[in-house]
């Protein structure tokens, strides 16, 4: 094994996680937090020069082989660190957000007695994600894929004393296993068809024989379509796409830094990364790409509608994440892989900013998460308000065509324009879904901002506080109508400021390298490159801005000018439908949970107990008991009873002999 900066980037967090987790009893919480944070900081310091080298320098793609992972009957996987444009992007995204989350968590988890375990989990999660994005074959990618799944289970259920946290962790784990089953089948199909799981070898073999068929009997499909479809099933689970999205909102049960790390920049983007990494396969599979486009478009619209009616501040941002992932997927589906990666890059900054900003609000509001019981938070928490406002403006993609805007403007508009320009399956449907979702995104984002920071404080009538609490802000509401909150410490605010800088400038600075004049050299044939178009109709260019301003206007009307209107609407069936997330949880509970229980009861009570046991062991035992019970009655102990039975037997035997003898004489 050769150690180099690239290897240290990946393995450093693993060693730190093991050190903090196994030796916490001896080193203490502060050392554990310091070691893990420092290891991620080192990975970050080593990652940015690599990324900058691909952007402005002459950095070359390379593969560093470490050791032979698996080699069985031609099935070979070598643990490697693959450095190219895509992995360089993911290295800076993962390490930047992870480092800021580690720093933020020092303040957020200051009073938790299990801080060392939490930081160990964070570092293990980071290692798994780094292993995933630097993989050179599908098996190493799958290892990292499952590693982030295990780490997410541990982090979501970190507060395991809470039943809801345990349930959410199990829900996330099980839902992802459904998708991962399809992903594993896709890897097996790739090896079966092409004899390799190495990325480059699979892509070259697929391009050399695009009409290779795969199927059972007379049912045959193009192998590349089957493989691409199965791989995307895994992405649907990991990236919470429609049908397999149900785990993402419940994952908010974990500590808020977990939400920022897992659901803003790392685990949930793994599916997008995988589809883009396998872009050469999807480029050859129009049907599978069309499926990706449609699922992504539906997810973008569906999650945006549900976000309109949620009251938990973290759940609103979670559904926003789900919706933005939909944008990334339909961008990949129409072949704009660079646009998908661009939105992944910018989204990491402003979504992590929003999650950590929400955590700051929750911390300042004494763990209140329901926006209905907030209001007036801007005055006691001005820095948090300013940072979340920047995140909101970046999320809605505010910007003026031809002039510029915040980070989300560049990447989101690039995706919408790519969908309009594409003639692929579902592309026009995705375009309109993207425009509509932009309207809804603006509305629910400003709804969150206004309900949280503006107006007068609305106390929670169900909250019970200790009259002798030491926090002087906890009980006495200020006379100016602001919330009884306090600003977060600087160790939590500093990461927000760094992320805010990215939310403002990331799109402007890096647009030329993702989508503009320098993009061709930046990507250098890593993925099929989608060139940006500049001759769109005027209405296409301005539609996102128009719907964004429309959403803002409606939010102002409903939550600043006419705050009684939303309360009236909340009593209607449409609100109930959205608040209950289109009743997917209830539907899945009825079909899968209760259905599985009913099938289990059928096999157990009817098949097992009545049929198998009834005709088998229980039936034989019952017959034996019946016979023995009746035979036992003949054992009376009286001699004359036995003499009578012997006489009857002798008569019966004699009659039988006479009968046989007469019959034989004939």
């Amino acid at each position: 094994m050769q150690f180099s900066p690239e290897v240290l980037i990946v393995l450093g967090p693993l060693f730190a996680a093991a050190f903090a987790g196994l030796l916490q009893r001896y080193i203490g919480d502060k050392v554990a937090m310091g070691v893990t944070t420092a290891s991620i900081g080192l990975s970050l310091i080593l990652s940015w020069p690599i990324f900058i080298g691909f952007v402005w320098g002459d950095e070359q793609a390379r593969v560093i082989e470490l050791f032979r992972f698996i080699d069985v009957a031609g099935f070979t996987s070598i643990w490697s660190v693959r450095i190219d444009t895509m992995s360089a992007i993911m290295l800076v995204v993962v390490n930047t957000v992870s480092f800021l989350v580690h720093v933020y968590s020092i303040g957020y988890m200051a009073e938790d007695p299990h801080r060392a375990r939490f930081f160990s989990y964070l570092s293990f999660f980071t290692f798994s994600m780094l292993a995933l994005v630097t993989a050179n074959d599908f098996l190493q990618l799958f290892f990292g894929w499952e590693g982030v799944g295990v780490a997410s289970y541990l982090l979501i259920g970190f507060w395991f004393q809470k039943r809801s946290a345990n349930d959410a962790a199990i829900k996330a784990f099980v839902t992802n296993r459904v998708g991962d089953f399809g992903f594993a089948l896709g890897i097996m199909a790739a090896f079966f068809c092409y004899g390799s799981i190495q990325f480059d070898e699979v892509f070259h073999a697929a391009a050399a024989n695009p009409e290779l068929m795969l199927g059972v009997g007379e049912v045959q499909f193009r192998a590349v379509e089957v493989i691409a479809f199965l791989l995307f099933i895994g992405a649907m689970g990991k990236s919470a796409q429609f049908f397999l999205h149900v785990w993402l909102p419940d994952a908010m049960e974990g500590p808020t830094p977990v939400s920022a790390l897992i659901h803003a920049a790392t685990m949930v983007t793994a599916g997008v990364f995988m589809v883009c990494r396998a872009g050469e396969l999807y480029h050859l599979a129009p049907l599978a790409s069309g499926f990706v486009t449609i699922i992504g478009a539906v997810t973008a619209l569906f999650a945006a509608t549900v976000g309109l009616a949620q009251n938990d501040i973290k759940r609103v941002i979670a559904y926003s994440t789900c919706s933005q992932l939909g944008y990334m997927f339909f961008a990949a589906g129409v072949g704009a892989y660079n646009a998908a990666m661009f939105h992944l890059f910018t989204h990491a900054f402003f979504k992590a900013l929003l999650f950590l900003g929400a955590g700051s609000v929750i911390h300042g509001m004494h763990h209140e998460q329901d926006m209905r019981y907030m209001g007036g938070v801007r005055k006691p928490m001005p820095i948090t308000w300013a940072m979340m406002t920047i995140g909101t403006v970046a999320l809605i993609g505010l910007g003026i065509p031809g002039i510029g805007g915040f980070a989300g403007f560049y990447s989101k508009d690039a995706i919408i324009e790519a969908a309009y320009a594409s003639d692929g399956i579902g592309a026009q449907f995705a375009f309109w879904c993207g425009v509509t979702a932009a309207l809804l995104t603006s509305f629910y984002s400003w709804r969150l901002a206004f309900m949280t920071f503006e107006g007068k404080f609305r106390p929670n009538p169900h909250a019970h506080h200790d009259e002798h609490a030491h926090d002087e802000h906890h009980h006495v509401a200020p006379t100016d109508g602001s919330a009884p909150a306090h600003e977060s410490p600087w160790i939590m605010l500093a990461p927000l400021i760094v992320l805010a800088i990215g939310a403002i400038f990331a799109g402007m600075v890096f647009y030329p390298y993702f989508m503009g004049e320098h993009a061709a050299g930046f990507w250098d044939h890593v993925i099929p490159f989608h060139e940006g178009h500049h001759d769109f109709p005027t209405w296409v260019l301005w539609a996102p801005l128009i719907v964004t301003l429309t959403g803002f206007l409606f939010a102002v009307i409903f939550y600043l000018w006419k705050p009684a209107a939303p309360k009236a609407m909340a009593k209607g069936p449409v609100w109930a439908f959205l608040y209950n997330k289109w009743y997917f949880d209830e539907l899945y509970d009825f079909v899968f949970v209760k259905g599985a229980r009913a099938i289990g009861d059928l096999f157990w009570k009817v098949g097992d107990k009545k049929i198998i046991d009834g005709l088998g062991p229980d039936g034989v035992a019952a017959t034996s008991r019946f016979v023995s019970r009746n035979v036992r009655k003949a054992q009376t102990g009286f001699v004359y009873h036995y003499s009578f039975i012997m006489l009857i037997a002798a008569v019966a035997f004699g009659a039988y002999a006479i009968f046989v003898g007469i019959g034989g004489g004939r």
Side-chain angles (χ1 to χ4, degrees), residues 55-56 342 345 410 504-514 518:
V55 175
W56 291 298
F342 189 27
F345 179 76
Y410 293 92
I504 296 172
F505 298 109
M508 180 192 312
V509 172
F510 294 105
Y511 178 85
Y513 302 94
F514 280 88
H518 303 301

Side-chain angles (χ1 to χ4, degrees), residues 234-590:
M236 287 176 64
K238 195 66 68 182
S239 298
Q241 293 300 282
F242 196 65
F243 295 125
L244 295 180
H245 66 276
V246 292
W247 67 271
L248 185 62
D250 293 311
M252 299 301 106
E253 289 290 339
T256 299
V258 173
S259 303
L261 181 63
I262 295 180
H263 308 119
T266 52
M267 173 177 163
V268 294
T269 63
V272 179
F273 171 82
M274 186 274 294
V275 170
C276 292
R277 172 63 83 193
E280 294 186 44
L281 286 181
Y282 286 93
H283 188 65
L284 300 170
L287 295 180
S289 295
F291 182 69
V292 174
T293 301
I294 293 172
I295 291 294
V298 171
T299 303
L301 186 58
F302 155 76
T305 63
V306 176
L308 299 174
Q310 302 305 304
N311 296 317
D312 186 302
I313 187 172
K314 289 169 64 177
R315 282 179 178 261
V316 175
I317 303 173
Y319 277 106
S320 173
T321 297
C322 191
S323 180
Q324 297 303 307
L325 289 166
Y327 275 98
M328 300 176 205
F329 274 112
F330 79 68
V334 301
Y337 304 103
N338 47 324
M341 291 299 298
F342 189 27
H343 199 51
L344 185 157
F345 179 76
T346 60
H347 176 264
F349 291 100
F350 57 74
K351 189 54 60 69
L353 173 59
L354 286 171
F355 268 122
L356 295 183
S360 180
V361 171
I362 294 168
H363 182 270
M365 287 291 293
H366 317 285
H367 305 290
E368 179 62 72
Q369 295 186 201
D370 195 321
M371 298 185 299
R372 293 173 296 181
Y373 308 125
M374 295 184 183
V377 176
R378 174 166 56 92
K379 292 181 180 179
M381 304 185 71
I383 300 176
T384 299
W385 166 76
M387 297 301 100
M388 285 202 72
T389 301
I390 292 173
T392 298
V393 175
L395 169 62
I396 66 176
L398 185 63
I400 301 175
I403 296 179
F406 285 68
F409 162 74
Y410 293 92
S411 55
K412 182 199 67 180
D413 282 27
I415 289 174
I416 292 175
E417 292 164 7
Y420 177 82
S422 174
D423 57 358
I425 299 173
Q428 297 308 305
F429 171 72
F431 168 76
W432 288 108
C433 284
V435 172
T436 306
L439 169 67
L440 302 179
T441 300
S442 179
F443 180 82
Y444 70 65
S445 297
W446 288 114
R447 171 181 179 264
L448 181 152
F450 295 153
M451 289 183 68
T452 302
F453 295 104
E454 306 302 326
K456 293 184 178 181
F457 173 60
R458 303 174 297 275
N460 186 345
H462 308 292
H464 300 283
H465 303 306
D466 182 5
E467 294 181 356
H468 304 287
H470 297 291
D471 189 345
E472 68 273 17
H473 303 284
H474 200 69
H475 310 290
V476 182
T479 57
D480 60 0
S482 62
H486 58 84
E487 188 61 276
S488 298
W490 276 106
I491 198 167
M492 293 174 61
L493 295 176
L496 301 185
I497 295 173
V498 174
L499 290 169
I501 294 173
I504 296 172
F505 298 109
M508 180 192 312
V509 172
F510 294 105
Y511 178 85
Y513 302 94
F514 280 88
M515 301 297 302
E517 62 270 19
H518 303 301
F522 178 61
W523 290 106
D524 194 24
H525 307 295
V526 174
I527 55 176
F529 175 67
H530 171 81
E531 296 184 0
H533 296 275
H534 304 283
D535 54 351
F536 295 101
T538 302
W539 70 270
V540 173
L541 297 175
W542 286 85
L545 176 60
I546 293 172
V547 297
T548 296
L549 295 178
T550 303
F552 170 74
L553 179 61
F554 275 104
V556 169
I557 294 173
F558 281 108
Y559 292 96
L560 294 183
W561 296 350
K562 302 288 185 182
K567 296 180 181 178
M569 294 174 60
K571 299 177 182 178
V574 175
W575 181 89
F577 180 72
L578 299 180
Y579 178 76
N580 289 286
K581 303 158 286 189
W582 293 22
Y583 294 102
F584 263 98
D585 284 332
E586 291 78 3
L587 177 63
Y588 284 4
D589 180 70
F590 176 78

Side-chain angles (χ1 to χ4, degrees), residues 3 40 104 112 241 255 340 453 502 532 534:
F3 280 95
I40 304 299
Y104 179 94
D112 195 287
Q241 293 300 282
F453 295 104
H534 304 283

